[in-house]
């Protein structure tokens, strides 16, 4: 395995690794292997060529038990010589020293206090967080240094840290966004088997809003031919509005290498009649055609207006920045949508 930058020892050092067996008293982790490492750095600079509208991220975990069949981060497991399919879902790298390491790096004179995004690779509130409790220390460090940050999550565990989020929001800009691409329960069970239900995620939106922390919804992914029917889009936007979301931003499914192979294998098993349609729709690469993306975006925005919400505007406080594909950005001012 290639673990450069993750361990304190020589390259290749794993640290403690263990698998939760079938006789464990924590059945929610059965079959999951945790690789505990002591990272050398926790602040990650986003490559300049990236489409992301932020420059720095913190990722306390690699791999994700949400097991979303479409997850774009699957390929990152191959960098560690780990499997990008089932391995990504069950081989979880845990940076056990993330909170203290972040605090030390924030204290450095070289750090200029740039915004830090979390949850942009894998979910920092996946089930493993219930076991390792890394996020309280991370949020506490960001609060103490009044460093702006954002969190994108599908996890309800974020509510455990509500008090810390309120404390941080009192001294710096905090952006929270919850990912809810659809409310169709059958679709949820098959493509996001390890996540809380869409209804529970919307409860998170409702609770955060009630406690003074504005929360947007990233309506992602909109899945072609499975979650894009007008009735499905309407039901989802209606539910998002009812939860009190400050904004809704749709993002059509994209299939990067690593995720594409896993998703298409799943599609062939579950919906073989759609394989050819997907091959045509994604023939040009990882992203759906511009016309399709525009159609979905326009429809969702119309529904959002109907239900009293809309895309967030620049300058709105406490929002997480969400990338919009350049193909969607018709006027220059819409190159970046802020949640």
């Amino acid at each position: 395995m290639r673990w450069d930058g993750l361990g304190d020892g020589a390259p290749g050092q794993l640290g403690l690794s263990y698998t939760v067996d079938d006789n464990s008293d924590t059945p929610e982790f059965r079959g999951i292997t945790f690789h505990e490492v002591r990272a050398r750095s926790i602040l990650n600079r986003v490559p300049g060529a990236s489409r992301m509208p932020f420059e720095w991220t913190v990722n306390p975990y690699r791999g994700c038990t949400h097991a979303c069949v479409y997850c774009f981060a699957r390929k990152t497991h191959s960098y560690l010589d780990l499997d990008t399919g089932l391995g990504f879902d069950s081989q979880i790298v845990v940076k056990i020293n993330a909170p203290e390491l972040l605090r030390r790096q924030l204290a450095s004179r070289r750090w200029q206090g740039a915004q830090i995004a979390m949850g942009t690779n894998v979910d920092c509130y996946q089930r493993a967080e219930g076991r390792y409790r890394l996020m309280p220390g991370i949020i506490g460090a960001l609060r103490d240094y009044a460093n702006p940050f954002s969190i994108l999550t599908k996890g309800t565990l974020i509510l455990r840290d509500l008090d810390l989020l309120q404390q941080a929001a009192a001294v710096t800009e905090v952006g929270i966004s919850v990912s809810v691409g659809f409310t169709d329960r059958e679709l949820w069970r098959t493509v996001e088997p390890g996540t809380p239900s869409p209804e529970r995620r919307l409860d998170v939106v409702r609770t955060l809003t009630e406690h003074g922390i504005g929360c947007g919804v990233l309506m992602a992914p909109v899945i072609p031919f499975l979650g894009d029917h007008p009735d499905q889009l309407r039901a989802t936007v209606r539910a998002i509005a009812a939860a009190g979301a400050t904004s809704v931003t749709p993002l059509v499914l994209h299939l990067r290498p690593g995720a594409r192979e896993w998703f298409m294998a799943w599609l062939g098993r579950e919906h073989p009649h759609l394989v050819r349609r997907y091959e045509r729709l994604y023939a040009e690469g990882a992203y759906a055609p511009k016309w399709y993306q525009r159609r979905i975006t326009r429809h969702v925005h119309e529904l959002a207006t109907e239900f009293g919400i809309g895309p967030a505007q620049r300058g709105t406080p406490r929002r997480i920045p969400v990338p919009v594909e350049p193909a969607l950005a018709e006027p220059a001012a819409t190159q970046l949508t802020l949640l």
Side-chain angles (χ1 to χ4, degrees), residues 84-107:
T84 60
L86 290 176
F88 181 84
D89 303 337
S90 62
Q91 302 277 331
I92 310 301
V93 178
V94 185
K95 302 173 187 179
I96 58 173
N97 62 332
E100 56 264 38
L101 184 55
L102 177 61
R103 185 173 290 274
R104 186 161 69 243
Q105 291 185 273
L106 292 177

Side-chain angles (χ1 to χ4, degrees), residues 265-299:
W266 169 85
L267 191 70
R269 293 192 304 271
E270 301 293 329
H271 304 280
H273 63 288
L274 292 179
V275 170
R276 292 296 300 275
R277 296 183 72 181
Y278 265 81
E279 289 173 345
R280 290 194 296 268
L281 191 66
Y282 289 88
E284 300 301 319
Y287 298 93
K290 291 183 290 185
W291 63 263
Y292 180 85
Q293 295 185 59
R294 287 183 178 134
R295 188 183 76 186
I296 294 297
T297 299
R298 185 180 303 112
H299 192 177

Side-chain angles (χ1 to χ4, degrees), residues 120-131:
T120 59
N121 186 39
V122 301
D123 202 323
C124 49
Y125 282 106
Q126 60 176 288
R127 279 180 288 160
E129 172 60 17
R131 186 185 190 98

Side-chain angles (χ1 to χ4, degrees), residues 154-281:
K154 288 187 177 80
T156 57
L157 192 57
I158 189 173
L159 294 181
R160 179 201 63 193
D161 298 335
L162 179 57
D163 288 346
L164 279 170
L165 292 171
Q166 290 177 309
Q167 294 167 23
V171 298
T172 191
E173 183 175 335
V174 176
I176 308 295
S177 186
V178 173
S179 176
V180 183
F182 42 83
T183 53
D184 185 314
R185 291 186 65 85
E186 183 176 352
L187 183 60
W188 158 63
R189 288 191 180 99
T190 58
V191 301
E192 300 172 344
T195 66
S197 70
E199 292 83 1
R200 291 182 63 202
R201 282 178 253 163
L202 291 173
D203 284 340
V204 169
V205 176
R206 186 175 292 105
T207 301
L208 290 172
T209 301
E210 289 172 350
H211 286 80
I213 299 178
C215 183
V217 169
L218 180 61
M219 191 171 160
V222 176
I223 304 179
F225 317 128
L226 291 171
D228 63 350
H229 188 278
D231 290 344
Q232 291 173 303
L233 298 178
R234 171 172 285 274
T236 301
V237 176
R238 181 193 293 114
I240 290 169
T246 56
S247 63
V248 56
T249 302
L251 199 63
V252 172
L253 174 73
H254 56 273
L255 296 173
R256 299 178 189 175
R260 186 184 187 111
E261 295 82 356
W262 189 247
F263 179 87
M264 292 301 291
W266 169 85
L267 191 70
R269 293 192 304 271
E270 301 293 329
H271 304 280
H273 63 288
L274 292 179
V275 170
R276 292 296 300 275
R277 296 183 72 181
Y278 265 81
E279 289 173 345
R280 290 194 296 268
L281 191 66

Side-chain angles (χ1 to χ4, degrees), residues 17-20 29-35 87 90-94:
S17 298
Y18 63 94
T19 302
V20 180
F29 296 118
R30 286 176 183 168
I32 305 297
T33 299
F34 294 104
H35 302 288
S90 62
Q91 302 277 331
I92 310 301
V93 178
V94 185

